[in-house]
C-alpha cells in the first residue's frame, strides 16, 4: 500500500489496479471513499482501461481478429508497479505484457499519477504508445464516495449539484449492460439531482457529451461537501449499487457498446486513437 499526504488529505493506493483505497479528509476526520464492503460492492475506485463498460459478446475486434476482453478492461485487476513517489505524489505503471497482448494486441504503457494539490487530489491517466502503429483505447474513473458522510445521516438528505443548468438525457442501459439506443430525460431541480435509494434501480445514469464538468456532493443538513471535476472528460456515469451508502461519479472517455453488431475497435463509439510515439494525458480531481 502506498500513502501520500499533506495537511488536508491522506490518500492510500494499492498496487492492484493502482486503485485508491482511502481519501481521508483531515479537516473533519471523514473517510470520503467507499470502503469496499465485499457483501455490497467490493471495489473502492477502479480504473477503467482499455475499454469503459462492455464490448458485445465480450469480444474486442481488432483488424478482423477477436480478443476476449472483460467488462471495463483488464487494468482494474492488474498489478501496477510504483515507479515514482514523493510525500504528495505517486506514479504507477502498467506496461503491456504477454498477458495483455492476448486480450488487447497493442504495446503501451498505462500510467496513473496521483498528486495532492492543497485540498485536492488530481488523478492523471497517461497512455504512452509503444507500438509501431496507431493504438485505440478508452479510459475512465469509477470512484465511489461515501454517502452519507457520517453515521446518523440519511442518504436522501444528499444531492448532486451540477456545474450548469442543462437538459440531461440518460442513455438507457439494457439488462445486459449495453446501450439500447433509447434516451430518457433526467430532470434537475435548479442544478440539483436528488440522491435516493431508488435512483439506480435501472443501473447507471449514462450521459454522453455532458456540459457540466464539475459535480458537488452536498447535504441539506450541513455544509460539508465533496467536489469532482473532470475537465478533460466528455462523458459521465453516475451509479450506486441499489440501496448502498455510496455514489460513484465516473468521468469517462468512452462508454459501453450499443446493442447490435460489433464494430472494429477503430470504429467503436467514443474511442480514442493515439499515434506511434505519442502520449495521451487526461486528469480528474477530487476536492474537499
Amino acid at each position: 500500500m502506498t500513502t501520500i499526504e499533506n495537511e488536508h488529505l491522506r490518500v492510500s493506493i494499492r498496487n492492484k489496479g493502482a486503485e485508491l483505497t482511502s481519501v481521508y479528509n483531515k479537516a473533519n476526520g471523514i473517510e470520503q471513499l467507499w470502503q469496499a464492503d465485499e457483501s455490497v460492492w467490493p471495489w473502492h475506485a477502479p480504473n477503467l482501461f482499455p475499454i469503459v463498460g462492455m464490448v458485445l459478446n465480450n469480444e474486442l475486434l481488432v483488424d478482423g481478429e477477436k480478443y476476449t476482453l472483460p467488462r471495463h478492461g483488464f487494468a482494474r485487476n492488474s498489478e501496477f508497479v510504483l515507479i515514482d513517489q514523493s510525500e504528495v505524489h505517486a506514479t504507477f505503471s502498467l506496461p503491456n505484457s504477454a498477458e495483455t497482448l492476448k486480450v488487447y494486441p497493442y504495446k503501451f504503457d498505462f500510467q496513473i499519477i496521483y498528486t495532492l494539490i492543497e485540498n485536492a487530489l488530481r488523478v492523471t491517466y497517461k497512455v504512452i504508445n509503444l507500438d509501431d502503429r496507431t493504438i485505440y483505447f478508452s479510459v475512465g474513473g469509477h470512484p465511489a464516495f461515501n454517502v452519507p458522510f457520517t453515521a446518523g445521516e440519511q442518504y436522501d438528505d444528499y444531492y448532486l449539484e451540477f456545474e450548469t443548468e442543462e437538459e440531461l438525457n440518460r442513455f438507457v442501459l439494457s439488462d445486459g449492460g449495453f446501450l439500447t439506443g433509447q434516451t430518457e430525460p433526467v430532470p434537475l431541480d435548479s442544478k440539483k439531482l436528488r440522491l435516493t435509494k431508488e435512483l439506480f434501480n435501472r443501473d447507471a445514469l449514462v450521459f454522453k457529451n455532458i456540459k457540466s464538468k464539475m459535480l458537488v456532493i452536498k447535504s441539506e443538513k450541513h455544509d460539508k461537501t465533496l467536489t469532482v471535476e473532470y475537465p478533460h472528460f466528455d462523458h459521465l456515469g453516475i451509479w450506486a449499487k441499489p440501496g448502498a451508502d455510496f455514489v460513484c461519479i465516473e468521468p469517462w472517455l468512452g462508454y459501453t457498446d450499443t446493442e447490435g453488431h460489433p464494430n472494429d475497435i477503430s470504429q467503436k463509439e467514443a474511442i480514442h486513437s493515439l499515434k506511434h510515439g505519442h502520449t495521451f494525458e487526461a486528469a480528474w480531481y477530487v476536492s474537499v
Side-chain angles (χ1 to χ4, degrees):
M1 193 71 70
T2 300
T3 298
I4 57 176
E5 187 171 3
N6 65 8
E7 61 184 300
H8 302 281
L9 292 166
R10 184 171 66 244
V11 170
S12 297
I13 311 110
R14 65 180 180 180
N15 283 52
K16 181 181 178 181
E19 182 183 7
L20 286 169
T21 61
S22 176
V23 177
Y24 182 76
N25 184 341
K26 291 184 173 182
N28 53 29
I30 292 175
E31 173 57 66
Q32 306 283 177
L33 200 66
W34 167 251
Q35 288 304 288
D37 184 337
E38 293 276 348
S39 67
V40 181
W41 191 62
W43 301 90
H44 303 269
N47 297 299
L48 317 181
F49 177 85
I51 59 169
V52 173
M54 301 171 64
V55 286
L56 290 167
N57 306 315
N58 285 332
E59 291 179 344
L60 185 72
L61 300 181
V62 182
D63 297 332
E65 298 291 329
K66 294 181 180 179
Y67 300 85
T68 300
L69 198 59
R71 186 187 189 102
H72 292 320
F74 50 75
R76 62 177 179 165
N77 285 308
S78 298
E79 288 292 322
F80 283 67
V81 177
L82 178 66
I83 60 172
D84 186 38
Q85 183 185 8
S86 72
E87 289 184 359
V88 295
H89 95 274
T91 301
F92 294 82
S93 168
L94 177 67
N96 66 270
S97 65
E99 291 304 308
T100 67
L101 288 168
K102 291 177 183 177
V103 297
Y104 178 69
Y106 296 116
K107 297 177 182 177
F108 65 88
D109 187 8
F110 177 42
Q111 297 181 4
I112 305 176
I113 306 163
Y114 295 98
T115 308
L116 292 174
I117 307 168
E118 297 183 344
N119 66 327
L121 170 66
R122 181 177 66 202
V123 182
T124 304
Y125 295 136
K126 184 175 181 178
V127 182
I128 304 170
N129 183 350
L130 302 178
D131 214 310
D132 57 4
R133 56 178 170 165
T134 297
I135 69 173
Y136 297 88
F137 65 93
S138 293
V139 67
H142 201 317
F145 302 104
N146 283 325
V147 174
F149 291 166
T150 58
E153 301 181 279
Q154 301 300 313
Y155 193 84
D156 56 10
D157 290 337
Y158 284 76
Y159 58 91
L160 302 179
E161 184 173 86
F162 285 70
E163 179 184 19
T164 62
E165 289 194 42
E166 58 182 299
E167 292 185 10
L168 286 179
N169 288 290
R170 68 180 294 187
F171 285 75
V172 178
L173 293 168
S174 69
D175 291 342
F178 298 103
L179 295 174
T180 65
Q182 299 175 320
T183 62
E184 294 178 351
V186 177
L188 296 181
D189 177 12
S190 300
K191 300 194 293 185
K192 298 178 181 178
L193 176 63
R194 304 285 171 176
L195 291 177
T196 70
K197 290 295 181 74
E198 297 76 40
L199 183 60
F200 306 106
N201 281 351
R202 295 171 55 218
D203 212 330
L205 306 182
V206 175
F207 302 110
K208 297 182 184 180
N209 299 309
I210 190 165
K211 294 179 182 177
S212 292
K213 299 299 182 183
M214 180 175 70
L215 283 184
V216 187
I217 303 175
K218 292 186 173 183
S219 170
E220 300 283 5
K221 304 297 185 181
H222 55 71
D223 61 359
K224 300 180 183 72
T225 65
L226 182 142
T227 301
V228 180
E229 298 176 72
Y230 43 97
H232 307 136
F233 291 79
D234 298 328
H235 319 294
L236 186 71
I238 304 174
W239 176 81
K241 191 82 170 181
D245 287 333
F246 67 81
V247 64
C248 292
I249 299 174
E250 308 174 41
W252 293 341
L253 286 170
Y255 39 79
T256 196
D257 277 356
T258 299
E259 292 178 322
H261 297 290
N263 288 320
D264 186 86
I265 189 172
S266 63
Q267 303 301 313
K268 186 170 162 37
E269 281 189 89
I271 202 70
H272 279 250
S273 63
L274 188 64
K275 293 181 180 179
H276 164 69
H278 287 215
T279 297
F280 164 93
E281 288 192 11
W284 53 273
Y285 302 77
V286 179
S287 57
V288 296

